[in-house]
Amino acid sequence: MLKKKVCLKIDVDTHDGMRDGVPALLEDLEAFDARATFCLSFGPDNAGKAIFRLFKDPGFLKKMLSTGAPKMYGLRTVLSGTLLPARPIASAFPVICKEIVKNGHEAIVHAWDHRKWQDHLKHMKKSEVRQEFEKSFQAFMDVFSAKPRAVAAPGWQATKVSLAVQDELNLHYASDLREPFPCFLRIGQRRFSTLQIPTTGPCIEELLTVGIRNEDEISSHLLSALKKAKQPVLAVHAEVEGGVFRPFFRRFMKILSQEFAGFTTLEEIASQTLSAKADIPVLEFVEVRLPGRAGKVSSAKTGP
Ligand SMILES: [Zn+2]
């Protein structure tokens, strides 16, 4: 069977992840001659606000403790936006942002306020959703002097409202879903016009949360999901694979380069998919629970 290419979709969710994780990953990607897609959060790093969810969401406490979040993210990040002021994420590092593109990678919009989107999207009005997009698009344009061509929803959180606003933005594609494969979405009779390129398989944090700690086991879980996927897209986090899991990720990159026919970007997948537009399936939007994640994430229904 012909080998597929694999896409690394790298989320940047925190100030420290941008400052330290991205340069580390740029180095490692270069070593493997790999191109990737970086999804940038521009606005305030409110990662610490997640702590307050402890009181409402017992699943979150479990996640926080079992992944060793304070160790993985550092205390400054864990307190960011709560006891300590929220620092800007990508907007604080225009030089690193430009480095991403200079090195041949793709940069797209992940969020303005990652935390706010992830925790409050469900209750946000259309005007508020629009505002989040406007702020992140302006920040992207300030850095790159060009309009972003794609977005990837924080925490894989999408709603009828966010999908409708995305359609107004005339994007090349969006990456809001967990599974199954590139598609258009519909909710009942309402069909959306933005191509979706989903993420496949778990991410490291989710595996840690369900108690998979052994690095060989982590590796085989990630790999088997990617190999099964029609269009493999791995979720990478600058804070994790560019931080304490960097040595693991370097080893894993080696495995990926042996198992796949190289690395691709979401943009390339989108262009390729759209070149046969009539073949793109239209799937019903659904929300699903995944092992190792608190709450539900966006996906699409493949069965009857
Ligand atoms: Zn994210």
Side-chain angles (χ1 to χ4, degrees), residues 11-13 39 41 110 114 118 153-156 237:
D11 283 11
V12 185
D13 297 350
C39 312
S41 307
H110 192 29
H114 192 288
Q118 199 170 345
W156 296 279
H237 289 89

Side-chain angles (χ1 to χ4, degrees), residues 9-134:
K9 180 192 168 193
I10 302 170
D11 283 11
V12 185
D13 297 350
T14 63
H15 179 91
D16 290 356
M18 189 70 206
R19 185 192 58 206
D20 306 328
V22 172
L25 287 171
L26 287 177
E27 228 179 272
D28 295 343
L29 291 168
E30 201 181 344
F32 286 93
D33 203 17
R35 294 174 60 223
T37 297
F38 284 81
C39 312
L40 304 177
S41 307
F42 286 90
D45 179 354
N46 279 315
K49 285 203 174 127
I51 293 172
F52 288 115
R53 288 180 56 201
L54 296 182
F55 303 108
K56 293 188 279 185
D57 182 354
F60 187 80
L61 174 64
K62 208 173 135 211
K63 180 185 172 187
M64 182 88 174
L65 296 176
S66 62
T67 57
K71 185 175 155 242
M72 190 135 70
Y73 290 102
L75 201 58
R76 180 63 183 83
T77 295
V78 168
L79 298 178
S80 192
T82 55
L83 296 177
L84 295 171
R87 302 170 294 176
I89 304 177
S91 291
F93 303 100
V95 176
I96 301 177
C97 287
K98 290 191 181 104
E99 202 69 23
I100 292 172
V101 174
K102 223 171 30 191
N103 285 20
H105 305 293
E106 179 190 14
I108 66 170
V109 162
H110 192 29
W112 171 252
D113 186 335
H114 192 288
R115 207 64 243 172
K116 184 178 169 193
W117 184 283
Q118 199 170 345
D119 294 346
H120 301 295
L121 175 67
K122 287 206 165 51
H123 313 288
M124 274 157 71
K125 288 188 293 225
K126 204 166 187 177
S127 58
E128 292 173 275
V129 173
R130 249 192 219 120
Q131 229 175 52
E132 288 295 302
F133 277 121
E134 276 163 15

Side-chain angles (χ1 to χ4, degrees), residues 35 37 106-109 133 137 140 147-152 163 165-176 182-185 192-198 264-277 280:
R35 294 174 60 223
T37 297
E106 179 190 14
I108 66 170
V109 162
F133 277 121
F137 274 44
F140 186 99
K147 201 184 150 239
R149 296 190 69 212
V151 298
L163 296 172
V165 176
Q166 266 175 14
D167 278 1
E168 293 170 5
L169 296 169
N170 242 319
L171 301 165
H172 186 38
Y173 70 89
S175 184
D176 300 339
C183 62
F184 288 115
L185 286 175
F192 298 92
S193 59
T194 309
L195 172 70
Q196 287 286 344
I197 317 268
T264 186
T265 60
L266 290 177
E267 184 172 33
E268 276 173 7
I269 297 171
S271 297
Q272 224 167 55
T273 308
L274 287 165
S275 69
K277 203 170 173 184
I280 302 171

